Amino acid sequence: MKITYENNNTKISGAKNFDLGQTFECGQCFRFDKDSDGLYKGTAFGKTITAGQDGEGITLYGVGEREFESLWRGYFDLDRDYAGIIKALSFDERVSVAASSGAGGIRILNQDGWETLCSFIVSQNNNIPRIKKIIASLCSLLGEETGGGFYSFPSAEAVAGAGIEGLAPIRSGFRAKYIIDAAESVASGKVKLDGLSLLPYDEAKAELMKIKGVGDKVSDCALLFGFGFRGAFPKDVWIKRTLEKYYGADFSPSEYFGEHAGIAQQYLFYYERSILKKIAGDN
DNA sequence: GTCCAGGATCGGA
DNA sequence: TCCGATCATGGA
């Protein structure tokens, strides 16, 4: 992998297993959209960027060395050896097939913990287009403008301050009370997100599940996408179907796949949900 | 109009 | 412990 800086852009070339589209569209992140020109635009950690990919590599527009090193290198998980992880996980036939059939360019983003927690509370019993819409609405309602009509994700304090009535415009339905409980718990310190990534998995999970509306799956998503727990294995409806179909009952993904179970999960999820669905749709 | 969505909670077997 | 109904809304 080679990083070069020119004209206030950062160019990443020779990065193995890094596909911008797969990474932004595999369901881990709700804040990036593809523009009509094929570029992805979105906001993370209060910074809005435009990113594109061509045969030469990935370009982050308007990002200089300082910002790249302090934010985006970590965000895109660039210091993790995905090729090696895929090799290590390919003892499993399903993961091997998924990784070599259009899911191998996914990188697990290191997103903001609070944003990820809140986003996956919104995701429950919901569909991705609507999840994105609700989150965008929450950000424009309570976040701060970051330029070009983009907004930062609001702090827990800002969300708690709005109260349940204040959230009415985002149309989040029965999830509003859960969002408020999460915001109040985090703002008050009842649930501590600082240092959560350093706790053992079980303790970190129990901490998040103190929040109403945060159960087994939502907490695993937050841990995997927002707190660096690559061994967390979120079990949504698609993955449950996959597990039943190929791995049988009483199967323990975390023991079977090990420390990178979450990455295996994401390959399986994206492959089953997007790639097989697309193939089915083409027939 | 119907079905269902990256689930969690609650009450009752 | 397990199962089903329910939750609020709108995308497909």
Side-chain angles (χ1 to χ4, degrees):
Chain A
M1 184 176 71
K2 192 171 136 198
I3 311 291
T4 53
Y5 309 97
E6 53 184 45
N7 304 325
N8 200 33
N9 296 333
T10 297
K11 181 165 272 185
I12 305 163
S13 51
K16 285 289 179 194
N17 304 103
F18 186 8
D19 183 277
L20 216 47
Q22 290 172 30
T23 297
F24 282 136
E25 292 176 19
C26 69
Q28 63 174 320
C29 158
F30 305 104
R31 299 265 283 148
F32 279 83
D33 288 301
K34 188 156 73 171
D35 220 329
S36 55
D37 49 15
L39 302 176
Y40 284 89
K41 295 184 180 177
T43 305
F45 293 100
K47 294 282 187 183
T48 294
I49 59 162
T50 299
Q53 184 166 26
D54 58 24
E56 296 181 7
I58 290 168
T59 303
L60 307 181
Y61 296 95
V63 174
E65 178 168 6
R66 180 180 294 272
E67 184 178 316
F68 174 75
E69 289 297 336
S70 65
L71 175 53
W72 303 109
R73 173 186 283 278
Y75 183 72
F76 288 112
D77 210 22
L78 291 179
D79 293 314
R80 197 181 303 275
D81 174 20
Y82 278 75
I85 291 170
I86 289 172
K87 193 173 289 183
L89 287 172
S90 287
F91 70 90
D92 179 76
E93 186 61 20
R94 305 304 311 171
V95 170
S96 177
V97 167
S100 58
S101 311
I106 295 172
R107 301 185 81 88
I108 306 292
L109 299 169
N110 289 297
Q111 302 180 66
D112 175 70
W114 158 245
E115 174 176 339
T116 310
L117 173 63
C118 202
S119 295
F120 280 91
I121 289 173
V122 171
S123 81
Q124 68 172 268
N125 199 24
N126 211 344
N127 56 66
I128 291 178
R130 186 163 169 254
I131 296 165
K132 291 175 119 173
K133 199 171 168 186
I134 291 171
I135 292 171
S137 176
L138 175 67
C139 293
S140 61
L141 180 69
L142 298 172
E144 292 174 15
E145 242 231 285
T146 60
F150 289 84
Y151 294 84
S152 67
F153 197 89
S155 66
E157 288 77 8
V159 175
I164 194 153
E165 302 83 2
L167 288 189
I170 72 172
R171 310 290 292 165
S172 59
F174 65 89
R175 306 164 192 85
K177 57 182 177 293
Y178 299 151
I179 296 170
I180 292 300
D181 189 56
E184 290 178 345
S185 299
V186 171
S188 72
K190 177 185 167 192
V191 168
K192 285 184 282 295
L193 301 185
D194 290 339
L196 195 75
S197 61
L198 302 174
L199 294 178
Y201 168 77
D202 290 338
E203 292 178 28
K205 182 161 180 161
E207 183 73 5
L208 294 182
M209 287 179 66
K210 287 182 187 171
I211 298 165
K212 283 193 184 64
V214 176
D216 182 55
K217 192 268 177 182
V218 168
S219 59
D220 273 337
C221 283
L223 292 173
L224 175 59
F225 304 132
F227 293 95
F229 287 85
R230 292 296 186 272
F233 192 96
K235 291 188 273 292
D236 75 306
V237 289
W238 290 90
I239 284 293
K240 283 178 180 170
R241 277 176 222 154
T242 302
L243 294 184
E244 286 175 17
K245 195 157 69 172
Y246 301 111
Y247 301 91
D250 64 306
F251 166 76
S252 171
S254 52
E255 290 179 20
Y256 177 73
F257 289 115
E259 61 174 332
H260 298 118
I263 298 176
Q265 188 274 0
Q266 205 55 18
Y267 293 154
L268 293 173
F269 173 80
Y270 184 70
Y271 182 70
E272 287 289 318
R273 188 178 181 285
S274 302
I275 299 173
L276 291 185
K277 191 174 168 185
K278 186 178 191 317
I279 292 169
D282 290 341
N283 291 336

